[in-house]
Amino acid sequence: MALTVRTRDIRKIPGAVRLYRVSAYITGVMLLLLVLEMVLKYTPMHTEMQLGGNGFFVPEGTSGKAPGTFDLSIGILIAHGWLYVLYLFADFRLWSIMRWKPLRFLLIALGGVVPFLSFFVEHRMAGIALATHHELVARHQQARQKEAAR
């Protein structure tokens, strides 16, 4: 039997969905930047990205070496790693509030490591969570009205 949302957690659903949505979009964009960085670096282009200096695209191994430059390739790697941790936290929070099966947690977690998947998974999971929220709120209001009518 599937677990249902606890009554005390119904009001937490919109906030959990909002945090999850924001973290999913940020993680998805950072993952696409990471893919771009990998394509530039590990294809015959052998190029990296940097901020400052004479150019945005520089030969591999020279990014961030000159004074006043920042190695954007490493910055993207680090930022995606930490933002993925936030994404997993938001995933866990939504999953635990909704009391979904463990497989759904893993599916959502994959969204942060498979390019473009976070956008599709976010749309689907947020829709499910908000539909469940609306249904629970309506059911809760009906129960209150029946109670008040007695």
Side-chain angles (χ1 to χ4, degrees), residues 91-109:
D91 171 12
F92 180 78
R93 182 165 185 255
L94 180 63
W95 171 80
S96 62
I97 288 171
M98 298 303 297
R99 300 179 76 184
W100 286 331
K101 293 180 180 180
L103 185 61
R104 191 166 285 184
F105 175 80
L106 295 175
L107 175 66
I108 297 171

Side-chain angles (χ1 to χ4, degrees), residues 22-41:
V22 169
S23 66
Y25 281 113
I26 291 171
T27 301
V29 169
M30 290 305 295
L31 182 58
L32 293 177
L33 288 173
L34 180 60
V35 168
L36 172 67
E37 191 271 331
M38 293 295 177
V39 166
L40 289 172
K41 188 172 186 174

